[in-house]
Amino acid sequence: MDLPRSFTIRESSHRIHNPLTSQKLAVLGEALNPPPGIRMLDLACGSGELLCTWARDHGVTGTGVDISTVFLASARARAIELEVADQVAFTHGDASGHVADDPVDIGSCVGATWIGGGVAGTVDLLRRSLRPGGMMLIGEPYWRREPLDQATVEGCHATSEDDFRVLPELLEQFGELGCDVVEMVLADQDSWDRYVAAQWLNTRRWLDAHPDDELAEQMRAELTVAPARHARYQREYLGWGVFVLMNR
């Protein structure tokens, strides 16, 4: 049980595996200002930057769960680097079925709502771990502009225009699920550039070091088209944000 190797190649240098920059992650923490000692559960936590930096900056405690052994190794190393290894723990497992043993103050799934089969299922999953009055963090794409055609949809790594909503409709969906939206931090085009362009550099460095690897042809073909595809489609049409929800 692990992520495909192509994914960890692309994001080998990433601390945050979505287009939220470290500055915006800090802004979100400052906006919520969680009191020291509160407990978090971060599903599909990746390299653990959310938990580790909030443990350092706000004194939170908690657990991250992820399917990637590579990213979890980075998360544990980051916890040691930031001297918060006594505050956070990381578990290898399928986040789609993970429920906290004891209710948590904040439950998060930032950029991986596929674990719940979409937004509604992920909200339901997080609710099962949340104490009354707690908060949920959901990271999710949305259409900045409605796509012109199927090529635009596929250029944004979607299969159908219905895979995402425009921002007002996404916010309305949270309400339909019985949640109040109490905060949000949105990626901008520069956030996307920082996230995606780092993938290109990671891929190129990997190709230079592994020219005969069985994945080399696939990764070379991807790198050849990725920059223009990003500029033509994803950068222009796809938004992304972290939305903070509370049950009504």
Side-chain angles (χ1 to χ4, degrees):
M1 182 171 58
D2 215 325
L3 281 178
R5 193 158 59 97
S6 59
F7 193 93
T8 56
I9 289 169
R10 287 185 210 102
E11 305 209 358
S12 58
S13 72
H14 288 58
R15 286 180 171 166
I16 302 173
H17 300 283
N18 55 62
L20 197 70
T21 63
S22 57
Q23 293 83 3
K24 287 181 179 289
L25 185 62
V27 165
L28 180 60
E30 292 166 1
L32 298 184
N33 193 26
I38 69 164
R39 297 183 62 244
M40 289 187 63
L41 174 66
D42 190 10
L43 298 181
C45 66
S47 295
E49 192 73 357
L50 169 58
L51 268 176
C52 289
T53 56
W54 284 19
R56 176 196 62 191
D57 297 339
H58 303 285
V60 306
T61 65
T63 300
V65 181
D66 202 274
I67 198 172
S68 171
T69 55
V70 173
F71 294 156
L72 288 176
S74 297
R76 294 181 181 113
R78 185 64 164 157
I80 293 170
E81 177 187 359
L82 298 185
E83 300 181 343
V84 295
D86 60 337
Q87 296 169 242
V88 298
F90 296 97
T91 299
H92 180 241
D94 182 359
S96 64
H98 190 94
V99 177
D101 293 334
D102 298 303
V104 298
D105 302 283
I106 299 176
S108 60
C109 177
V110 179
T113 56
W114 51 266
I115 68 170
V119 169
T122 302
V123 167
D124 181 64
L125 176 62
L126 290 174
R127 275 179 168 145
R128 294 164 62 191
S129 295
L130 202 66
R131 70 162 179 80
M135 294 181 174
M136 292 176 275
L137 312 182
I138 297 283
E140 182 69 5
Y142 59 88
W143 293 118
R144 291 183 65 241
R145 298 162 54 187
E146 294 188 5
L148 297 175
D149 49 31
Q150 185 62 21
T152 304
V153 169
E154 294 176 5
C156 294
H157 305 285
T159 57
S160 164
E161 182 177 349
D162 294 336
D163 287 354
F164 310 128
R165 304 185 181 209
V166 295
L167 182 57
E169 292 177 1
L170 177 59
L171 297 174
E172 288 171 348
Q173 182 186 16
F174 293 135
E176 292 164 2
L177 295 172
C179 299
D180 287 323
V181 180
V182 297
E183 182 59 85
M184 67 181 187
V185 174
L186 305 182
D188 54 24
Q189 289 178 306
D190 183 65
S191 306
W192 271 116
D193 294 344
R194 301 281 52 77
Y195 171 55
V196 176
Q199 295 179 352
W200 309 336
L201 182 57
N202 291 337
T203 300
R204 175 52 195 267
R205 286 174 170 166
W206 181 87
L207 284 167
D208 289 347
H210 304 87
D212 300 320
D213 190 280
E214 63 182 2
L215 287 180
E217 183 177 355
Q218 171 191 329
M219 302 305 291
R220 161 42 62 192
E222 180 181 296
L223 179 59
T224 300
V225 301
R229 177 174 176 167
H230 167 65
R232 181 172 290 117
Y233 299 122
Q234 186 170 271
R235 192 177 195 274
E236 295 300 316
Y237 288 90
L238 197 60
W240 196 90
V242 179
F243 305 91
V244 183
L245 315 176
M246 297 181 71
N247 287 320
R248 288 179 179 165

